[in-house]
Amino acid sequence: MTAFTVKEIWRYPVKSMQGERLEETVLTKGGIPFDRGWAVRDEQTQTIRGAKHIPGLLHCSARYIEGTSADAVPHVEITLPDGSKTGSQEEDVNARLSKALEREVTLWPLQPADDSAHYRINETAASQEELEANMRAMFGVRDDETLPDLSAIPGELLSEVMEYASPRGTYFDLYPVNLLTEASLRRFQELTPFSKLDVRRFRPNFLIADDEKLSSLAEFGWVGNKVTLGGAALDIDIECMRCVMTTREQAPHGQGAIPRDPEIMRTLVRETKHNLSVYANVASPGAVKVGDEVRV
């Protein structure tokens, strides 16, 4: 029987910016504490946005500053594409981010879930054709390719994210936890032999290793099951639908460049119905560290 273990733990202090690796964490019902604790708002549309709409976010990286507080989350230090640094405590942080991202943005910590106006999408399509064009741009699919099947998303959650930029009270796309196996990365590398499949393209919270060096979409078989990681348990709910972010260039300062690669999306559409990795809810909170056993 294959033995799975936690190889990497990732937290992303600012939505769509490069994250930070952790050696251990304590999973709560809301996921890894302070994951996606900050996000930027596009001031033209007054809407919280990620790298689907603002690609330059992937050229920035962020880390939390211990011993600080911005109410719900700690303050963050942000490394900009030119290697210079700013932070959420700095008076000119919005101006510097806007210059780096080439559009007017503001940086926001998590707001209360009942602040619906903060999370609402304020840019709507004028027609069905425009809606489809926006969806194709967001998911990175061509006119001759199918859009992802959204029917796997629970109805209430789907309605929420059609009206709001994220489930209210979070800056997640859908779920609090994303889990990816190295087995899937190996299989996908076979399908895209000329692509650079750095784990950062797929932004998991947990990268899972296996002792048999499998080449399969292993975690897809876990959907509908409970998985334990160390002292915590996850309900694996759905496969993760992938968007244009997986194809974006990433060049965080001091971490090495990842090139733009549209072929990744062509392969996702053709081979995996747009999906790679799985989304999960936390069934039982608990401590997780690198090296812990993963049991299905």
Side-chain angles (χ1 to χ4, degrees):
M1 182 177 293
T2 303
F4 292 97
T5 56
V6 176
K7 182 172 182 178
E8 295 176 5
I9 303 172
W10 287 87
R11 176 173 68 181
Y12 306 90
V14 181
K15 182 180 178 70
S16 289
M17 290 188 185
Q18 296 296 321
E20 53 187 5
R21 285 179 61 177
L22 307 175
E23 290 300 311
E24 58 186 2
T25 188
V26 176
L27 271 177
T28 69
K29 286 291 187 180
I32 293 176
F34 308 135
D35 188 30
R36 277 86 168 183
W38 294 79
V40 300
R41 186 175 72 184
D42 182 338
E43 289 304 297
Q44 180 177 353
T45 62
Q46 294 281 292
T47 299
I48 295 295
R49 290 300 194 196
K52 298 180 189 67
H53 299 89
I54 309 177
L57 287 166
L58 288 168
H59 291 209
C60 303
S61 61
R63 70 172 188 88
Y64 279 114
I65 304 172
E66 293 185 9
T68 64
S69 174
D71 293 329
V73 294
H75 282 284
V76 287
E77 178 186 78
I78 295 170
T79 302
L80 299 171
D82 64 1
S84 63
K85 298 181 187 297
T86 186
S88 51
Q89 294 169 300
E90 303 295 332
E91 291 184 0
D92 64 346
V93 61
N94 292 330
R96 294 188 64 189
L97 278 173
S98 296
K99 181 178 179 181
L101 299 174
E102 299 182 338
R103 70 177 72 194
E104 187 180 358
V105 299
T106 52
L107 182 66
W108 287 81
L110 279 175
Q111 300 297 300
D114 60 4
D115 187 357
S116 296
H118 174 73
Y119 294 98
R120 182 169 285 111
I121 298 171
N122 294 309
E123 187 177 33
T124 57
S127 64
Q128 184 63 35
E129 290 77 14
E130 188 177 51
L131 175 62
E132 180 171 330
N134 290 345
M135 290 282 286
R136 289 189 177 278
M138 183 171 66
F139 284 103
V141 297
R142 303 182 309 203
D143 289 345
D144 61 341
E145 294 173 327
T146 60
L147 284 164
D149 180 7
L150 304 182
S151 64
I153 304 173
E156 185 175 343
L157 179 58
L158 180 59
S159 296
E160 177 89 353
V161 297
M162 293 299 288
E163 182 175 357
Y164 301 99
S166 59
R168 284 169 289 178
T170 81
Y171 290 139
F172 300 129
D173 285 345
L174 284 173
Y175 285 79
V177 178
N178 184 284
L179 188 151
L180 173 69
T181 64
E182 285 193 314
S184 282
L185 288 180
R186 292 188 203 103
R187 177 58 183 148
F188 203 77
Q189 188 70 78
E190 292 172 355
L191 298 170
T192 55
F194 302 108
S195 295
K196 183 176 181 178
L197 293 187
D198 192 298
V199 67
R200 289 174 290 158
R201 284 198 188 275
F202 305 105
R203 301 176 68 80
N205 293 115
F206 295 97
L207 179 65
I208 307 302
D210 63 272
D211 64 342
E212 296 186 16
K213 304 302 180 185
L214 299 175
S215 174
S216 67
L217 303 173
E219 63 271 33
F220 283 9
W222 302 351
V223 171
N225 291 294
K226 194 179 297 296
V227 171
T228 60
L229 293 77
L234 301 175
D235 286 324
I236 309 299
D237 203 355
I238 64 172
E239 297 173 12
C240 177
M241 287 152 280
R242 291 297 174 170
C243 69
V244 72
M245 282 180 61
T246 60
T247 73
R248 300 282 200 210
E249 178 188 33
Q250 300 185 34
H253 179 71
Q255 295 187 39
I258 298 174
R260 179 178 177 273
D261 189 352
E263 182 58 27
I264 287 175
M265 186 53 65
R266 307 286 74 75
T267 306
L268 285 165
V269 172
R270 184 179 64 249
E271 302 288 348
T272 69
K273 299 181 180 178
H274 302 260
N275 302 340
L276 196 69
S277 78
V278 290
Y279 276 132
N281 286 310
V282 178
S284 301
V288 184
K289 65 180 183 300
V290 170
D292 276 348
E293 182 183 2
V294 177
R295 302 179 302 280
V296 182

